[in-house]
């Protein structure tokens, strides 16, 4: 007996996942069953015959979901073969029916919870940005999925079925206590409440029954002012002059370029000589912002030109935000950036450097140098409000 999942054919970009059960008791010695699930070939591990699960990737939630469904189908097939251990002949129709019943029974047993989850997931996939009318970005989808996972964990801890009707003020306070116990800080908890309000508002607009408590003032998004650092020009040069391994050097160069461009990490893959344009005799970098869909033009700094030339105009590949942050701390420790005092605590500045530090450094250095006024800088960063930019 051998059970495998494979992709159908070789031509399709998003082929169906097919179950193969090899057992001499079937006609032609094998059973073939379409799971009805499709997947991008780049997300398929040929060696394991399963989806590649990359923590922190934009489609992580979807791949986990596919993997769980494949587990269910595989266990159903094993259950069928185990129950018919002594039989000489097996029919494909019996196994197909067995798998189908197993999937349906699981769905029925979790019907209410599935309704809540499926509606939330559908809202994630179909919600559009109010201003642009474009479907929300993968980063926003990922954030809403993280909130959904936290909510389902909360209801499980209470032995309750998740329901839109139960998201009231009692939920608000209990859920906040639940997140606090997990060690989530004020702003992280606030982010989850922001996503809850956004999803419930979208559901209400679509005439999906929800508890209207989310509209009350006391159902508020938590927020605390945080101390953030930036890198001045001397510190950026110090990082740029470090002797590093080839892999670290590539990441360092991407980060330094970002310090002179001010783009979000989600747009770093657009930083390339190919995206440079001439505007009034000046070389500018054209970036189509992933988050806002707005196009920004940023002057190309001499340091950026130098690094473009180093890589013949094509920058190294940008890794995930989480991995980049980990690498940055290692690199910045080598730069010996000194200590800073945050909330009465003395901390190594290197420990506070993240990908977002590049964006903040660009804006802060431009503001302090007075080379551009506030509105010119905001045009480069894509900020819509002055208060948000100044914060």
């Amino acid at each position: 007996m051998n059970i495998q999942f494979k992709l159908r054919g070789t031509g399709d970009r998003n082929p169906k996942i097919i179950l193969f059960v090899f057992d001499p008791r079937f006609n032609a010695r094998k059973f073939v069953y379409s799971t009805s699930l499709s997947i991008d070939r780049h997300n398929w591990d040929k060696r394991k015959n399963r989806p590649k699960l990359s923590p922190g990737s934009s489609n992580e939630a979807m791949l986990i979901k596919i993997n769980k469904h494949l587990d269910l189908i595989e266990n159903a097939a094993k259950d069928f073969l185990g129950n018919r251990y002594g039989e000489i002949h097996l029919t494909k129709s019996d196994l197909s029916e067995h798998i189908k019943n197993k999937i349906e029974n699981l769905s029925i047993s979790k019907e209410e919870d599935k309704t809540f989850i499926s509606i939330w997931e559908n809202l994630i996939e179909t919600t559009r940005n109010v201003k642009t009318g474009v479907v929300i970005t993968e980063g926003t989808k990922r954030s809403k999925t993280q909130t959904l996972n936290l909510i389902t964990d909360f209801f499980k801890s209470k032995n309750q079925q998740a329901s839109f009707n139960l998201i009231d003020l009692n939920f608000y306070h209990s859920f906040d206590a639940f997140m606090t116990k997990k060690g989530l800080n004020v702003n992280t908890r606030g982010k989850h409440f922001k996503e809850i309000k956004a999803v419930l508002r979208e559901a209400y607009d679509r005439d999906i029954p929800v508890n209207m408590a989310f509209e009350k003032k006391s159902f508020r998004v938590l927020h605390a002012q945080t101390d953030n650092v930036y890198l001045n020009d001397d510190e950026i040069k110090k990082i740029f002059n470090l002797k590093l391994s080839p892999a670290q050097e590539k990441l360092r160069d991407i980060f330094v370029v970002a310090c002179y461009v001010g783009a979000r990490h989600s747009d770093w893959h657009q930083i390339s000589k190919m995206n440079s344009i001439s505007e009034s005799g000046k070389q500018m970098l054209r970036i189509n912002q992933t988050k806002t869909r707005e196009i920004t033009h940023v002057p190309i700094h001499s340091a950026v030109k130098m690094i473009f030339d180093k890589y013949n105009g094509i920058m190294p590949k940008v890794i995930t935000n989480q991995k980049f942050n980990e690498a940055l701390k290692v690199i910045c420790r080598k730069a010996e950036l000194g200590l800073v005092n945050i909330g009465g605590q003395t901390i190594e500045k290197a420990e506070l450097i993240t990908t977002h530090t590049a964006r903040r450094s660009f804006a802060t250095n431009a503001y302090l140098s007075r080379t551009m006024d506030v509105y010119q800088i905001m045009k480069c960063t894509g900020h819509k409000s002055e208060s948000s930019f100044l914060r």
Side-chain angles (χ1 to χ4, degrees):
M1 179 187 72
N2 188 5
I3 299 175
Q4 294 180 10
F5 291 101
K6 296 186 177 181
L7 302 186
R8 171 171 283 163
T10 57
D12 294 343
R13 172 79 186 269
N14 294 289
K16 287 280 194 298
I17 303 173
I18 309 299
L19 169 70
F20 287 88
V21 179
F22 299 92
D23 191 301
R25 294 175 291 172
F26 288 114
N27 289 337
R29 304 175 66 84
K30 68 179 179 182
F31 166 83
V32 182
Y33 175 86
S34 175
T35 66
S36 299
L37 299 171
S38 296
I39 190 170
D40 189 313
R41 288 187 183 276
H42 296 300
N43 295 323
W44 186 255
D45 189 326
K46 289 183 180 179
R47 186 174 62 84
K48 296 180 179 178
N49 285 318
R50 282 300 182 103
K52 294 177 184 175
L53 300 181
S54 304
S57 65
S58 61
N59 53 4
E60 179 187 7
M62 179 194 71
L63 295 177
I64 289 173
K65 190 175 178 182
I66 290 174
N67 210 38
K68 286 181 178 179
H69 196 77
L70 296 183
D71 284 342
L72 175 62
I73 293 173
E74 182 178 357
N75 290 334
K78 287 179 178 178
D79 178 60
F80 175 87
L81 297 172
N83 290 340
R84 288 161 177 76
Y85 179 76
E87 296 184 19
I88 299 173
H89 299 290
L90 298 175
T91 65
K92 296 177 181 179
S93 59
D94 283 348
L95 178 49
S96 293
E97 192 66 25
H98 183 80
I99 292 173
K100 182 181 176 183
N101 289 337
K102 279 285 184 180
I103 294 171
E104 286 181 351
N105 288 340
L106 185 70
S107 298
I108 291 168
S109 66
K110 294 185 175 181
E111 186 172 354
E112 186 178 352
D113 197 39
K114 179 178 179 296
T115 300
F116 173 83
I117 293 171
S118 63
I119 291 174
W120 190 293
E121 289 175 338
N122 180 61
L123 290 169
I124 290 173
E125 290 302 317
T126 58
T127 295
R128 292 178 178 272
N129 184 293
V130 176
K131 293 180 181 177
T132 65
V134 178
V135 174
I136 57 176
T137 65
E138 291 302 317
T140 305
K141 289 179 182 179
R142 185 165 62 248
S143 181
K144 292 181 189 299
T145 299
Q146 289 168 350
T147 301
L148 170 62
N149 294 337
L150 203 57
I151 290 173
T152 52
D153 286 347
F154 167 78
F155 278 115
K156 283 178 184 175
S157 73
K158 300 287 184 183
N159 292 318
Q160 289 179 304
Q161 293 283 3
S163 166
F164 284 103
N165 191 51
L166 291 177
I167 300 182
D168 55 13
L169 283 177
N170 287 329
F171 163 85
Y172 176 90
H173 295 295
S174 297
F175 186 56
D176 188 40
F178 176 78
M179 291 191 290
T180 302
K181 195 173 181 180
K182 280 183 171 288
L184 303 185
N185 64 36
V186 173
N187 288 329
T188 301
R189 284 157 30 220
K191 183 200 75 169
H192 288 299
F193 282 127
K194 178 183 175 183
E195 297 296 2
I196 290 170
K197 289 171 76 73
V199 170
L200 292 183
R201 192 172 292 111
E202 183 70 22
Y204 176 73
D205 286 345
R206 300 192 196 186
D207 297 322
I208 297 169
V210 298
N211 192 308
M212 295 305 295
F214 75 92
E215 291 281 29
K216 294 182 178 180
K217 287 184 179 179
S218 48
F219 201 114
R220 63 191 182 90
V221 174
L222 304 172
H223 178 73
Q225 286 285 74
T226 56
D227 289 306
N228 294 307
V229 298
Y230 81 102
L231 296 167
N232 62 38
D233 204 46
D234 288 338
E235 289 170 325
I236 295 170
K237 288 175 182 175
K238 197 173 183 181
I239 293 169
F240 184 55
N241 290 325
L242 286 173
K243 297 294 182 183
L244 302 168
S245 69
Q248 288 178 328
E249 186 177 339
K250 289 177 181 177
L251 297 180
R252 183 272 314 278
D253 288 348
I254 295 170
F255 177 72
V256 168
V257 167
C259 286
Y260 292 114
V261 171
R264 298 178 182 88
H265 175 265
S266 58
D267 294 321
W268 285 7
H269 67 281
Q270 296 185 56
I271 300 176
S272 164
K273 197 171 185 177
M274 291 185 295
N275 287 332
S276 65
I277 59 172
S278 181
E279 190 175 281
S280 302
K282 293 183 179 180
Q283 284 298 108
M284 310 286 279
L285 191 65
R286 182 183 186 276
I287 295 177
N288 188 354
Q289 296 192 358
T290 304
K291 182 176 181 179
T292 64
R293 309 291 180 180
E294 296 284 336
I295 294 174
T296 61
H297 292 171
V298 185
I300 297 180
H301 192 277
S302 57
V304 175
K305 288 180 183 177
M306 187 192 310
I307 296 173
F308 277 175
D309 291 340
K310 178 179 178 179
Y311 294 99
N312 296 317
I314 302 173
M315 293 295 291
K317 185 179 179 181
V318 179
I319 60 176
T320 64
N321 193 57
Q322 181 182 2
K323 289 181 179 178
F324 217 122
N325 285 336
E326 291 171 1
L328 273 177
K329 285 174 175 51
V330 175
I331 292 169
C332 290
R333 286 186 200 118
K334 294 182 179 182
E336 297 180 352
L337 300 174
L339 305 173
V340 290
N341 190 288
I342 301 290
Q345 289 186 312
T346 302
I347 306 169
E348 272 194 65
K349 189 170 185 176
E351 301 305 314
L352 302 173
I353 306 300
T354 67
T355 57
H356 196 72
T357 305
R359 181 167 165 81
R360 188 179 303 110
S361 299
F362 168 83
T364 307
N365 288 326
Y367 180 80
L368 294 176
S369 68
R370 300 183 183 275
T371 53
M372 292 188 278
D373 64 36
V374 168
Y375 296 103
Q376 286 175 318
I377 304 170
M378 286 171 60
K379 280 186 177 181
C380 293
T381 59
H383 282 96
K384 292 298 180 185
S385 71
E386 188 175 352
S387 60
S388 175
F389 168 77
L390 292 174
R391 187 166 59 245

